[in-house]
Amino acid sequence: MLKGKSVLCLLDLSKEEIEKFLNLSFTMKEDVYSNNVPRTLEGKRVALIFEKPSTRTRVSTESAISMLGGHALILSKSDIQLSRGEPIEDTARVLGRIVNGIGARVLSHESLLKLRDYSSLPVVNLLSNLSHPLQALADFMTIKEKFGTYDKPIAFIGDGKDNVAFSLMAFVAKMGLEMRIGTPKDLRPKDNLWKLIEETAEDTGAIIEFFDDPYEAIRGSYVVYTDVWVSMGEEEIGEKKKELLRPYKVTKDLMRYASTKAIFMHCLPAVRGEEVDSDVIDGKQSVVWDQAENRLYSAMSVFSLIV
Ligand code: CP
Ligand code: NVA
C-alpha cells in the first residue's frame, strides 16, 4: 500500500514499491498517448515548494497533478514566509491542515524530513542536496524503453558526490543491477552515504564500482550518464570541482569505449563543453529529450499512488 507514503530517497523504498512506481509510469504514458488519463487526484491539492530554480521538475509535476484532476499550488520560496524566516516546521503544520500532499525542492535534505514529520502528509523529494528520486525513476523508465530491461551496465562519469548519481546508485543497489562510476577519488560519496548503498547492494547482489580512469569506467557500458559539475548551491566550490573534473568530460572519443549500442543520458540542464561535448549530447546516441518527457509519467505515477 503506497497511499500516504513519502518518496524522499529510493533507499527508503522496497524493490516491489519501486517496480510499482515504474509499472504505473508506463501505464500513464500509454494513458496520455491515448487521451485516457485517470482522474486519480480529483479534489486533491498538492503544494509544490521550490527553494531552487527548476524547469523540468516544475513543469512535469505541475502538469502531472493537473492532468490527474488535482490542483498544484506552486510555492516559490521567495513568495512564502519561509523566505522571511518562518520555520519549515510551521510551514509544514499549516500545509498539513489544508492540502493533501507536498512536493519540495530543497537546499537541505533535512528539510524534507521536517516537512514529512510536521505535516503528516506524503512528501515527494523534487531534488535535494542528497538525491533526486523522480529523476532516477524517469531515467530507468527510459533505459527500459530503449533496451527492454533495466539490467544494462550503466556508467556515470563525473561528480561522484552528485545528487542524481546518488539516486542512480540507490536504484541500482535496490534492483540488483550494475554500475561503474568514473570520478576522482576526492569526489567519491561520503562514507556514511556509501555505507547505505553498499549495504543495500550486498543484499541484492548489485555491483557498484569506482574508477579513477573514465576510460576504464565507461568500458562496455550500455548507458553513459553525466550531470553538471557544479550543482545548485555549490557555486563557492565550483572552480575547485571543475579543476578536478576536467578529465571526466564526456567526449566522442570517450564514448567510443562504451558499447556501440550505448545511449547517452543527462538529467539536464547541461553545460555544453563542460561535462559533455555538444556532439555527444546533441548526437545520435543521446536520449536526453526522452528522459525529460518521461519525467511527466513518473511524476503522474508517484503522485497518483501516494496522495
Ligand atoms: N532534471 C531536472 O530536475 O531539471 P530541473 O532542474 O529543470 O527541474
Ligand atoms: N546536480 C544538479 C541536478 C539538477 C537537476 C543540481 O543539483 O543542481
Side-chain angles (χ1 to χ4, degrees), residues 1 13 17 35 41 66 80 82 84 90 94-95 108 139 146 153 158 163 167 171 179 193 218 236 247 252 269 300 302:
M1 185 57 182
L13 304 175
E17 288 171 334
N35 205 11
L41 292 183
S66 84
I80 56 175
L82 201 53
R84 295 182 57 247
D90 291 0
V94 173
L95 293 176
S108 158
D139 294 338
K146 301 298 168 196
N163 42 10
S167 282
F171 188 100
M179 181 168 179
L193 297 178
I218 208 171
E236 261 178 38
K252 244 185 162 162
M300 290 173 82
V302 168

Side-chain angles (χ1 to χ4, degrees), residues 48-51 58 73-81 83:
L48 300 175
I49 299 174
F50 288 92
E51 287 193 329
R58 157 89 198 256
L73 296 96
I74 304 293
L75 308 175
S76 299
K77 185 175 180 181
S78 56
D79 295 338
I80 56 175
Q81 300 288 8
S83 64

Side-chain angles (χ1 to χ4, degrees), residues 52-57 105-106 126-132 135 156 159 161-165 227-235 241 266-269 295:
K52 299 190 261 194
S54 168
T55 298
R56 281 139 289 267
T57 307
R105 170 165 287 199
V106 294
L126 305 182
L127 182 139
S128 69
N129 55 323
L130 175 72
S131 64
H132 198 2
Q135 182 70 50
F156 183 93
D159 177 10
K161 290 192 194 295
D162 182 71
N163 42 10
V164 172
D227 187 11
V228 286
W229 288 348
V230 184
S231 284
M232 290 179 275
E234 287 189 336
E235 291 73 15
K241 283 186 83 178
H266 193 308
C267 57
L268 305 175
R295 293 292 310 276

Side-chain angles (χ1 to χ4, degrees), residues 214-226:
Y215 286 85
E216 197 55 40
I218 208 171
R219 199 178 289 279
S221 294
Y222 277 72
V223 178
V224 178
Y225 203 119
T226 192

Side-chain angles (χ1 to χ4, degrees), residues 135-189:
Q135 182 70 50
L137 291 175
D139 294 338
F140 276 92
M141 180 183 176
T142 311
I143 291 171
K144 187 154 186 197
E145 283 178 340
K146 301 298 168 196
F147 296 115
T149 172
Y150 302 120
D151 197 2
K152 285 285 176 190
I154 167 168
F156 183 93
I157 309 293
D159 177 10
K161 290 192 194 295
D162 182 71
N163 42 10
V164 172
F166 185 76
S167 282
L168 297 172
M169 284 182 229
F171 188 100
V172 166
K174 278 280 169 182
M175 305 292 279
L177 308 176
E178 228 182 285
M179 181 168 179
R180 298 158 72 92
I181 299 150
T183 193
K185 279 209 173 59
D186 285 353
L187 291 179
R188 290 188 186 184

Side-chain angles (χ1 to χ4, degrees), residues 9-82:
C9 174
L10 294 177
L11 290 175
D12 305 335
L13 304 175
S14 67
K15 184 177 179 198
E16 291 69 32
E17 288 171 334
I18 293 175
E19 279 168 347
K20 270 195 193 144
F21 285 130
L22 280 159
N23 292 342
L24 187 61
S25 305
F26 285 106
T27 308
M28 287 292 182
K29 188 164 186 172
E30 283 169 22
D31 291 346
V32 170
Y33 276 70
S34 60
N35 205 11
N36 189 29
V37 175
R39 310 272 300 170
T40 47
L41 292 183
E42 192 82 62
K44 300 269 177 74
R45 295 161 305 286
V46 181
L48 300 175
I49 299 174
F50 288 92
E51 287 193 329
K52 299 190 261 194
S54 168
T55 298
R56 281 139 289 267
T57 307
R58 157 89 198 256
V59 172
S60 59
T61 50
E62 187 175 354
S63 299
I65 290 159
S66 84
M67 288 162 83
L68 294 163
H71 179 73
L73 296 96
I74 304 293
L75 308 175
S76 299
K77 185 175 180 181
S78 56
D79 295 338
I80 56 175
Q81 300 288 8
L82 201 53

